[in-house]
Amino acid sequence: MSLNLIFLGPPGAGKGTVAQAVIEKYNLFQISTGDLVREEVKKETTLGKEIENIINSGKLVNDDLISLMLETKLKQIIESKKYNGIILDGFPRTIPQADKLDEILKKINQKLDGVIYIESSEENIVKRLNGRWTCQKCKKVYNSLTIPEKNKGFCDDDNEKLIQRDDDKEETIRKRYQTFIEKTMPLIEYYSKKGLLKKYDGNVAPKQSIEKAIEKIEEIKNKK
Ligand code: AMP
């Protein structure tokens, strides 16, 4: 039986780190729309340049465009391997995206099983994102405060160089947090009304956050 989950939360709440830690356990595939847009930016196309400006201003990419990117990625996954479910990290971020997700899942005969909301305070987020470094190859995330790499500046797994995201500057972080409050917070009530929402306090160390997420995933699985 497949399992389709959304990880919801402000930027820096730990969605990506927790998703990376649990996908193997549950044999799921993680889709980060943030990674998808950063891949587009890397291509240096006209669209990529437009997107780069949006990301660095802390705003959101257009709903139709991001939904299309998600749908394309999902199709690729379904074609390339046995589908056992997904963790959506960073999508949906608006109500229209949530509606679009329902349509996309319906097309592939799937449904959403649960939404895990990782709560985090603005100050904690600023502190965390300022210390965040990512492997440019495998996308593994490190943090100089909480999960430092063994060999400074290089990934533990593939020894590739770690890079810091341009949008992880304090001013942009605060704008991204505001965008979350304005555009994404309405999803909390939206999914709560549907009986799909589980939340936990993510102002904790990564290890504890992963344990709490697993508890919530088990609750969602048991309800199926
Ligand atoms: P993230 O890595 O999830 O923090 O995403 C980085 C940036 O990509 C965001 O600040 C947005 O500009 C853009 N982005 C990622 N996911 C979405 C989405 N679902 N809707 C709109 N914009 C997105």
Side-chain angles (χ1 to χ4, degrees):
M1 208 193 322
S2 56
L3 188 64
N4 299 304
L5 304 171
I6 293 172
F7 278 11
L8 208 63
K15 302 184 294 292
T17 304
V18 175
Q20 273 175 3
V22 300
I23 45 171
E24 247 175 71
K25 180 176 168 67
Y26 294 100
N27 194 17
L28 303 175
F29 200 92
Q30 173 188 9
I31 304 182
S32 152
T33 43
D35 282 348
L36 296 182
V37 296
R38 280 184 290 278
E39 274 164 30
E40 195 60 47
V41 170
K42 250 200 203 157
K43 289 186 202 155
E44 295 186 2
T45 54
T46 314
L47 176 65
K49 286 189 183 124
E50 257 176 55
I51 293 180
E52 188 174 21
N53 286 334
I54 297 172
I55 298 179
N56 289 339
S57 68
K59 293 189 184 143
L60 294 182
V61 174
N62 165 292
D63 285 334
D64 286 338
L65 175 62
I66 201 86
S67 304
L68 183 64
M69 286 171 124
L70 174 87
E71 190 170 5
T72 310
K73 184 73 189 175
L74 198 52
K75 279 188 186 146
Q76 278 171 7
I77 292 169
I78 290 171
E79 279 162 19
S80 69
K81 58 187 265 177
K82 190 178 171 299
Y83 188 86
N84 199 45
I86 39 168
I87 293 183
L88 293 174
D89 152 16
F91 186 97
R93 264 172 150 101
T94 64
I95 302 270
Q97 288 181 23
D99 292 335
K100 193 76 198 173
L101 177 65
D102 279 346
E103 279 174 37
I104 295 171
L105 288 177
K106 221 181 196 166
K107 277 194 218 164
I108 58 165
N109 281 325
Q110 294 289 324
K111 69 170 192 37
L112 183 62
D113 296 300
V115 179
I116 299 180
Y117 171 34
I118 310 177
E119 289 177 295
S120 199
S121 71
E122 183 174 356
E123 283 325 303
N124 213 359
I125 283 161
V126 171
K127 212 165 63 191
R128 275 198 203 152
L129 293 189
N130 262 327
R132 174 160 82 173
W133 291 80
T134 312
C135 172
Q136 56 182 348
K137 189 170 170 214
C138 74
K139 310 279 187 296
K140 188 166 174 175
V141 178
Y142 296 87
N143 192 294
S144 44
L145 296 173
T146 51
I147 1 170
E149 66 279 17
K150 293 190 185 100
N151 178 14
K152 192 153 177 50
F154 295 91
C155 180
D156 291 353
D157 295 345
D158 50 29
N159 215 28
E160 284 285 330
K161 210 167 179 306
L162 302 183
I163 49 171
Q164 186 164 39
R165 283 168 45 173
D166 284 342
D167 59 345
D168 280 348
K169 291 187 202 109
E170 180 166 344
E171 198 193 329
T172 316
I173 298 168
R174 292 198 189 273
K175 280 200 197 126
R176 287 163 66 201
Y177 186 77
Q178 274 319 310
T179 305
F180 169 79
I181 300 287
E182 282 164 31
K183 304 273 171 121
T184 310
M185 276 302 263
L187 285 179
I188 310 294
E189 204 191 328
Y190 173 92
Y191 284 124
S192 177
K193 277 191 181 151
K194 287 180 184 260
L196 288 170
L197 196 84
K198 302 263 175 203
K199 63 174 177 177
Y200 71 83
D201 179 2
N203 295 294
V204 293
K207 192 168 168 280
Q208 284 163 287
S209 186
I210 292 163
E211 284 165 7
K212 290 186 185 194
I214 290 174
E215 257 173 50
K216 300 295 172 198
I217 296 175
E218 289 299 321
E219 287 174 24
I220 293 168
K221 271 183 75 184
N222 291 337
K223 238 180 74 184
K224 264 175 85 99

mmCIF file of all heavy atoms in Angstrom, residues 169-190:
data_model
loop_
_atom_site.group_PDB
_atom_site.id
_atom_site.type_symbol
_atom_site.label_atom_id
_atom_site.label_comp_id
_atom_site.label_asym_id
_atom_site.label_seq_id
_atom_site.Cartn_x
_atom_site.Cartn_y
_atom_site.Cartn_z
ATOM 1 N N LYS A 169 20.296 34.171 3.309
ATOM 2 C CA LYS A 169 20.815 35.372 3.983
ATOM 3 C C LYS A 169 19.710 35.883 4.893
ATOM 4 O O LYS A 169 18.524 35.754 4.556
ATOM 5 C CB LYS A 169 21.119 36.465 2.956
ATOM 6 C CG LYS A 169 22.283 36.126 2.068
ATOM 7 C CD LYS A 169 22.603 37.339 1.200
ATOM 8 C CE LYS A 169 23.356 36.950 -0.035
ATOM 9 N NZ LYS A 169 22.564 37.062 -1.264
ATOM 10 N N GLU A 170 20.112 36.508 6.004
ATOM 11 C CA GLU A 170 19.101 36.859 7.016
ATOM 12 C C GLU A 170 17.907 37.639 6.457
ATOM 13 O O GLU A 170 16.753 37.306 6.721
ATOM 14 C CB GLU A 170 19.738 37.626 8.188
ATOM 15 C CG GLU A 170 18.662 37.975 9.211
ATOM 16 C CD GLU A 170 19.192 38.430 10.553
ATOM 17 O OE1 GLU A 170 20.385 38.217 10.842
ATOM 18 O OE2 GLU A 170 18.371 38.996 11.306
ATOM 19 N N GLU A 171 18.185 38.643 5.625
ATOM 20 C CA GLU A 171 17.090 39.487 5.127
ATOM 21 C C GLU A 171 16.092 38.658 4.297
ATOM 22 O O GLU A 171 14.872 38.789 4.437
ATOM 23 C CB GLU A 171 17.712 40.585 4.269
ATOM 24 C CG GLU A 171 16.810 41.755 4.037
ATOM 25 C CD GLU A 171 17.369 42.647 2.929
ATOM 26 O OE1 GLU A 171 18.604 42.716 2.767
ATOM 27 O OE2 GLU A 171 16.540 43.251 2.221
ATOM 28 N N THR A 172 16.654 37.788 3.446
ATOM 29 C CA THR A 172 15.781 36.951 2.601
ATOM 30 C C THR A 172 15.053 35.907 3.453
ATOM 31 O O THR A 172 13.890 35.602 3.212
ATOM 32 C CB THR A 172 16.598 36.269 1.483
ATOM 33 O OG1 THR A 172 17.470 37.225 0.922
ATOM 34 C CG2 THR A 172 15.699 35.702 0.409
ATOM 35 N N ILE A 173 15.741 35.381 4.459
ATOM 36 C CA ILE A 173 15.102 34.389 5.336
ATOM 37 C C ILE A 173 13.850 35.005 5.971
ATOM 38 O O ILE A 173 12.785 34.389 5.991
ATOM 39 C CB ILE A 173 16.065 33.903 6.451
ATOM 40 C CG1 ILE A 173 17.290 33.198 5.862
ATOM 41 C CG2 ILE A 173 15.336 32.963 7.417
ATOM 42 C CD1 ILE A 173 18.408 32.947 6.851
ATOM 43 N N ARG A 174 13.997 36.237 6.455
ATOM 44 C CA ARG A 174 12.850 36.888 7.116
ATOM 45 C C ARG A 174 11.703 37.114 6.120
ATOM 46 O O ARG A 174 10.538 36.962 6.448
ATOM 47 C CB ARG A 174 13.270 38.186 7.799
ATOM 48 C CG ARG A 174 14.180 37.919 9.006
ATOM 49 C CD ARG A 174 14.276 39.087 9.948
ATOM 50 N NE ARG A 174 15.301 38.860 10.952
ATOM 51 C CZ ARG A 174 15.114 38.230 12.116
ATOM 52 N NH1 ARG A 174 13.926 37.768 12.433
ATOM 53 N NH2 ARG A 174 16.116 38.063 12.965
ATOM 54 N N LYS A 175 12.045 37.460 4.874
ATOM 55 C CA LYS A 175 11.005 37.641 3.848
ATOM 56 C C LYS A 175 10.331 36.306 3.548
ATOM 57 O O LYS A 175 9.111 36.227 3.374
ATOM 58 C CB LYS A 175 11.622 38.197 2.561
ATOM 59 C CG LYS A 175 11.837 39.674 2.640
ATOM 60 C CD LYS A 175 11.981 40.267 1.245
ATOM 61 C CE LYS A 175 12.608 41.635 1.355
ATOM 62 N NZ LYS A 175 13.797 41.788 0.531
ATOM 63 N N ARG A 176 11.131 35.233 3.466
ATOM 64 C CA ARG A 176 10.559 33.911 3.173
ATOM 65 C C ARG A 176 9.620 33.488 4.296
ATOM 66 O O ARG A 176 8.603 32.852 4.056
ATOM 67 C CB ARG A 176 11.685 32.880 3.008
ATOM 68 C CG ARG A 176 12.441 33.063 1.703
ATOM 69 C CD ARG A 176 13.780 32.358 1.710
ATOM 70 N NE ARG A 176 13.673 30.926 1.775
ATOM 71 C CZ ARG A 176 14.646 30.127 2.185
ATOM 72 N NH1 ARG A 176 15.806 30.629 2.567
ATOM 73 N NH2 ARG A 176 14.471 28.839 2.217
ATOM 74 N N TYR A 177 9.992 33.860 5.529
ATOM 75 C CA TYR A 177 9.132 33.519 6.673
ATOM 76 C C TYR A 177 7.793 34.264 6.561
ATOM 77 O O TYR A 177 6.726 33.692 6.773
ATOM 78 C CB TYR A 177 9.837 33.855 7.986
ATOM 79 C CG TYR A 177 9.054 33.391 9.190
ATOM 80 C CD1 TYR A 177 9.059 32.050 9.559
ATOM 81 C CD2 TYR A 177 8.285 34.285 9.936
ATOM 82 C CE1 TYR A 177 8.309 31.615 10.646
ATOM 83 C CE2 TYR A 177 7.542 33.853 11.024
ATOM 84 C CZ TYR A 177 7.569 32.516 11.377
ATOM 85 O OH TYR A 177 6.830 32.075 12.443
ATOM 86 N N GLN A 178 7.853 35.543 6.178
ATOM 87 C CA GLN A 178 6.624 36.332 5.991
ATOM 88 C C GLN A 178 5.755 35.728 4.903
ATOM 89 O O GLN A 178 4.532 35.639 5.037
ATOM 90 C CB GLN A 178 6.971 37.798 5.622
ATOM 91 C CG GLN A 178 7.224 38.697 6.811
ATOM 92 C CD GLN A 178 6.253 38.456 7.969
ATOM 93 O OE1 GLN A 178 5.047 38.426 7.785
ATOM 94 N NE2 GLN A 178 6.772 38.212 9.166
ATOM 95 N N THR A 179 6.404 35.307 3.810
ATOM 96 C CA THR A 179 5.664 34.665 2.714
ATOM 97 C C THR A 179 4.968 33.410 3.226
ATOM 98 O O THR A 179 3.818 33.137 2.893
ATOM 99 C CB THR A 179 6.628 34.302 1.555
ATOM 100 O OG1 THR A 179 7.317 35.481 1.155
ATOM 101 C CG2 THR A 179 5.893 33.711 0.375
ATOM 102 N N PHE A 180 5.665 32.660 4.083
ATOM 103 C CA PHE A 180 5.059 31.444 4.663
ATOM 104 C C PHE A 180 3.799 31.802 5.455
ATOM 105 O O PHE A 180 2.750 31.191 5.289
ATOM 106 C CB PHE A 180 6.075 30.719 5.567
ATOM 107 C CG PHE A 180 5.442 29.626 6.389
ATOM 108 C CD1 PHE A 180 5.148 28.389 5.814
ATOM 109 C CD2 PHE A 180 5.093 29.845 7.709
ATOM 110 C CE1 PHE A 180 4.524 27.392 6.555
ATOM 111 C CE2 PHE A 180 4.468 28.848 8.456
ATOM 112 C CZ PHE A 180 4.182 27.618 7.883
ATOM 113 N N ILE A 181 3.918 32.844 6.302
ATOM 114 C CA ILE A 181 2.773 33.239 7.131
ATOM 115 C C ILE A 181 1.585 33.644 6.244
ATOM 116 O O ILE A 181 0.459 33.216 6.462
ATOM 117 C CB ILE A 181 3.154 34.432 8.057
ATOM 118 C CG1 ILE A 181 4.312 34.058 8.988
ATOM 119 C CG2 ILE A 181 1.950 34.967 8.835
ATOM 120 C CD1 ILE A 181 3.972 33.113 10.105
ATOM 121 N N GLU A 182 1.884 34.452 5.217
ATOM 122 C CA GLU A 182 0.786 34.953 4.376
ATOM 123 C C GLU A 182 0.184 33.899 3.465
ATOM 124 O O GLU A 182 -1.027 33.766 3.365
ATOM 125 C CB GLU A 182 1.304 36.089 3.483
ATOM 126 C CG GLU A 182 1.448 37.407 4.209
ATOM 127 C CD GLU A 182 2.318 38.371 3.419
ATOM 128 O OE1 GLU A 182 2.314 38.305 2.170
ATOM 129 O OE2 GLU A 182 3.027 39.181 4.057
ATOM 130 N N LYS A 183 1.043 33.147 2.768
ATOM 131 C CA LYS A 183 0.543 32.272 1.700
ATOM 132 C C LYS A 183 0.326 30.822 2.133
ATOM 133 O O LYS A 183 -0.556 30.139 1.619
ATOM 134 C CB LYS A 183 1.544 32.266 0.523
ATOM 135 C CG LYS A 183 1.864 33.613 -0.036
ATOM 136 C CD LYS A 183 0.843 33.967 -1.079
ATOM 137 C CE LYS A 183 0.999 35.341 -1.491
ATOM 138 N NZ LYS A 183 1.214 35.991 -2.521
ATOM 139 N N THR A 184 1.173 30.343 3.039
ATOM 140 C CA THR A 184 1.128 28.904 3.331
ATOM 141 C C THR A 184 0.344 28.582 4.592
ATOM 142 O O THR A 184 -0.288 27.524 4.664
ATOM 143 C CB THR A 184 2.580 28.338 3.398
ATOM 144 O OG1 THR A 184 3.288 28.766 2.237
ATOM 145 C CG2 THR A 184 2.597 26.820 3.446
ATOM 146 N N MET A 185 0.342 29.487 5.589
ATOM 147 C CA MET A 185 -0.399 29.217 6.827
ATOM 148 C C MET A 185 -1.868 28.825 6.591
ATOM 149 O O MET A 185 -2.377 27.952 7.294
ATOM 150 C CB MET A 185 -0.332 30.422 7.780
ATOM 151 C CG MET A 185 0.905 30.464 8.637
ATOM 152 S SD MET A 185 1.121 29.005 9.655
ATOM 153 C CE MET A 185 0.448 29.579 11.197
ATOM 154 N N PRO A 186 -2.555 29.437 5.605
ATOM 155 C CA PRO A 186 -3.949 29.019 5.384
ATOM 156 C C PRO A 186 -4.102 27.517 5.112
ATOM 157 O O PRO A 186 -5.166 26.945 5.336
ATOM 158 C CB PRO A 186 -4.372 29.838 4.152
ATOM 159 C CG PRO A 186 -3.489 31.042 4.176
ATOM 160 C CD PRO A 186 -2.176 30.580 4.745
ATOM 161 N N LEU A 187 -3.011 26.879 4.663
ATOM 162 C CA LEU A 187 -3.095 25.434 4.392
ATOM 163 C C LEU A 187 -3.250 24.625 5.677
ATOM 164 O O LEU A 187 -3.748 23.496 5.649
ATOM 165 C CB LEU A 187 -1.833 24.960 3.663
ATOM 166 C CG LEU A 187 -1.689 25.321 2.191
ATOM 167 C CD1 LEU A 187 -0.369 24.798 1.652
ATOM 168 C CD2 LEU A 187 -2.830 24.729 1.383
ATOM 169 N N ILE A 188 -2.797 25.191 6.800
ATOM 170 C CA ILE A 188 -2.876 24.472 8.076
ATOM 171 C C ILE A 188 -4.357 24.217 8.408
ATOM 172 O O ILE A 188 -4.752 23.084 8.710
ATOM 173 C CB ILE A 188 -2.221 25.288 9.224
ATOM 174 C CG1 ILE A 188 -0.811 25.772 8.845
ATOM 175 C CG2 ILE A 188 -2.223 24.517 10.547
ATOM 176 C CD1 ILE A 188 0.222 24.723 8.655
ATOM 177 N N GLU A 189 -5.150 25.276 8.286
ATOM 178 C CA GLU A 189 -6.575 25.131 8.572
ATOM 179 C C GLU A 189 -7.262 24.260 7.515
ATOM 180 O O GLU A 189 -8.105 23.416 7.823
ATOM 181 C CB GLU A 189 -7.218 26.517 8.619
ATOM 182 C CG GLU A 189 -8.484 26.524 9.436
ATOM 183 C CD GLU A 189 -9.263 27.804 9.259
ATOM 184 O OE1 GLU A 189 -8.632 28.855 9.045
ATOM 185 O OE2 GLU A 189 -10.505 27.723 9.327
ATOM 186 N N TYR A 190 -6.836 24.466 6.275
ATOM 187 C CA TYR A 190 -7.402 23.721 5.139
ATOM 188 C C TYR A 190 -7.266 22.208 5.349
ATOM 189 O O TYR A 190 -8.225 21.464 5.227
ATOM 190 C CB TYR A 190 -6.656 24.198 3.882
ATOM 191 C CG TYR A 190 -6.935 23.475 2.591
ATOM 192 C CD1 TYR A 190 -7.940 23.926 1.726
ATOM 193 C CD2 TYR A 190 -6.175 22.381 2.203
ATOM 194 C CE1 TYR A 190 -8.173 23.283 0.519
ATOM 195 C CE2 TYR A 190 -6.407 21.730 1.005
ATOM 196 C CZ TYR A 190 -7.407 22.183 0.160
ATOM 197 O OH TYR A 190 -7.634 21.549 -1.041
#
